[in-house]
Structures are given as C-alpha cells and as structure tokens.
C-alpha cells in the first residue's frame, strides 16, 4: 500500500484529496506547510509527495528545490493555479515529476499519482508471489493456493510492506512508521497485535506462519516453501 505525503494549506481541498486517495487504497499524511512536511519526512519515507506551489511561510516551489538538494527521490506532483508554459517548465526543471493545474478532476489526480509510482526505479509488480501466497495489489486480495484470505485494511497494508521486503527484518517501531499513517498514533503494541492476528490468518499449520519474529530484532516475511 503506497504512502503519500500531501502538502497543502487549503484544508478543504486537502481533506477532499485525502478522502479520494484513501478510498483507493493509499495511506495519506497531510501537512499544512513545508515546515510540517519536514517534520513528517524525518520520521517516515513516502512513495509520493503531492505539493502545492503557493503556501504560507515557504512556497512549495522553494520546498521542492530543498527536497531535491537533500537527495529526496520520491516522485513529486505539483499542484498550482499557475498555468503558463514558463511556470510549468520552472516546476519541472526544479525537480517536479508532474504538474496539475487547479481546478482539477479528482480522477486525473488519481491517475497521475498512480502513473508516477509506476515509473522506474519505483516500478513494482502488481502481484507479489512468495511460496504459496499471492498478493494482488490491484484488487488488494490475498490468495493462498488459490483460496482467498480476508484481510482488514490495516492488515493488508502491513502484509504488503512485509512481502515487498521479503526476508528483511523490521522492528515494531519501523513498521508503525511505514505501514500506518503518521497521525494514527500506532504504537509498537498496536503493531504486535496486528502481527499476531495476521500471523494466525497466514498459518499453514499449527504455529507455522511465514511471518516470523526474531528475538530483539523484529519481524520478517519468509517463504515457507523455501525452507
């Protein structure tokens, strides 16, 4: 499940975009200023940044330059009321990946967001197959040997992250940062509860699940078939 940082001081517009993206399976964090966004970027990585050009205190275009200078490589979609060719080329030349002029259709924003995240090197297969498990990120369905396993929205987000990073070990704190919204107040205990529930759903035998706990290290997804 992709994680998006939405930076816009227009509360009504931001709420509308958040609702639309969440409905289509994204995890969304909102920031009303570049300074708020900086704080969020310190604690969580993002798959996409949606950035408004005109904001108080620090303009989005200036923040864009800072992000690229700092090595931030997440795709950035600029939102703006500026529609001249010079404005567009300025934004793109300074590091934006795409440009959407206000007012815009929500379906177009969704389409552009998806297109940006399909670009190399962040292009990811819509299906993740590990051993007997197949996760379809388009339908957000999990199959084990062709049989569907029902997941909650948060269980799905957690599982997708673990499967995309198979064999890597993540602490509960790291998973809370990556698979939950930064405003969800997810604690390590919350992560552990979800891991326990998810592990039971994925069990192929008594206490035999592809989600493993490494003592004092964290959690990892392994392929049972490869053991």
């Amino acid at each position: 499940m992709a994680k998006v940082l939405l930076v816009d001081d227009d509360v009504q517009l931001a709420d509308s975009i958040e609702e639309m993206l969440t409905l289509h399976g994204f995890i969304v964090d909102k920031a009303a200023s570049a300074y708020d966004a900086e704080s969020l970027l310190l604690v969580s990585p993002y798959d996409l940044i949606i950035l408004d050009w005109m904001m108080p205190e620090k303009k989005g275009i200036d923040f864009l330059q800072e992000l690229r200078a700092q090595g931030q490589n997440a795709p950035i979609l600029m939102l703006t009321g500026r529609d001249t060719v010079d404005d567009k080329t300025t934004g793109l030349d300074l590091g934006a990946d795409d440009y959407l002029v206000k007012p815009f259709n929500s379906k177009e924003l969704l389409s552009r967001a998806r297109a940006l995240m399909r670009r190399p090197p962040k292009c990811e297969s819509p299906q993740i197959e590990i051993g007997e498990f197949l996760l379809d990120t388009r339908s957000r369905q999990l199959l084990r040997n062709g049989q569907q396993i029902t997941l909650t929205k948060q269980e799905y987000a957690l599982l997708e992250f673990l499967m995309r990073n198979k064999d890597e070990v993540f602490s509960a704190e790291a998973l809370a940062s990556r698979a939950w919204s930064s405003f969800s107040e997810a604690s390590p205990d919350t992560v552990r509860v979800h891991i326990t529930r998810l592990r039971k759903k994925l069990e192929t035998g008594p206490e035999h699940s592809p989600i493993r706990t490494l003592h004092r290290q964290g959690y990892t997804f392994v392929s049972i078939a490869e053991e």
Side-chain angles (χ1 to χ4, degrees):
M1 185 173 288
K3 192 167 186 179
V4 177
L5 175 59
L6 172 59
V7 191
D8 198 320
D9 64 311
D10 185 330
V11 176
Q12 185 174 357
L13 177 61
D15 287 346
S16 175
I17 294 174
E18 178 190 26
E19 181 179 0
M20 184 268 297
L21 291 176
T22 301
L23 181 64
H24 287 84
F26 293 82
I27 295 174
V28 182
D29 284 347
K30 292 184 299 182
S33 70
Y35 298 106
D36 291 340
E38 287 172 349
S39 298
L40 290 171
L41 285 163
L42 289 174
V43 298
S44 180
Y46 292 92
D47 301 294
L48 173 68
I49 299 173
I50 300 176
L51 178 61
D52 184 40
W53 183 305
M54 294 299 294
M55 290 188 296
E57 299 177 340
K58 182 187 293 185
K59 292 183 179 179
I61 196 68
D62 296 326
F63 187 42
L64 167 65
Q65 287 182 273
E66 292 178 8
L67 290 174
R68 293 312 190 203
Q70 294 165 3
Q72 174 60 249
N73 59 9
I76 297 177
L77 171 61
M78 294 293 297
L79 304 180
T80 180
R82 298 171 178 264
D83 60 356
T84 68
V85 172
D86 286 344
D87 288 329
K88 292 180 180 179
T89 56
T90 295
L92 295 172
D93 287 344
L94 292 177
D97 295 276
D98 202 355
Y99 194 105
L100 193 55
V101 177
K102 300 177 182 179
F104 50 81
N105 185 286
S106 61
K107 290 183 178 179
E108 183 178 6
L109 186 147
L110 177 63
S111 177
R112 289 177 182 245
R114 286 173 168 167
L116 286 174
M117 289 186 291
R118 285 197 299 267
R119 291 183 181 179
K122 298 189 73 62
C123 180
E124 297 176 326
S125 170
Q127 292 189 333
I128 310 169
E129 187 170 7
I130 303 175
E132 60 195 282
F133 295 96
L134 175 65
L135 188 70
D136 190 317
T137 63
R138 292 167 299 190
S139 62
R140 298 199 289 279
Q141 290 184 343
L142 174 67
L143 302 178
R144 180 175 60 209
N145 293 327
Q147 298 297 312
Q148 184 175 346
I149 298 174
T150 302
L151 302 175
T152 67
K153 180 179 178 180
Q154 192 57 62
E155 287 170 348
Y156 171 84
L158 180 57
L159 180 62
E160 181 184 344
F161 179 74
L162 287 171
M163 290 183 71
R164 286 200 183 279
N165 296 278
K166 171 180 169 287
D167 296 328
E168 294 187 44
V169 182
F170 298 93
S171 67
E173 291 80 2
L175 291 174
S177 170
R178 194 61 187 85
W180 270 262
S181 164
S182 296
F183 300 111
S184 66
E185 298 183 356
S187 67
D189 285 339
T190 300
V191 175
R192 295 183 188 104
V193 168
H194 279 77
I195 286 286
T196 298
R197 292 174 179 170
L198 190 55
R199 180 184 282 127
K200 289 181 179 179
K201 289 186 177 183
L202 272 56
E203 283 182 354
T204 56
E207 299 183 358
H208 198 206
S209 171
I211 297 179
R212 303 294 169 81
T213 302
L214 279 69
H215 184 57
R216 294 185 178 178
Q217 295 183 56
Y219 306 94
T220 184
F221 189 101
V222 300
S223 173
I224 294 176
E226 295 173 1
E227 294 184 330

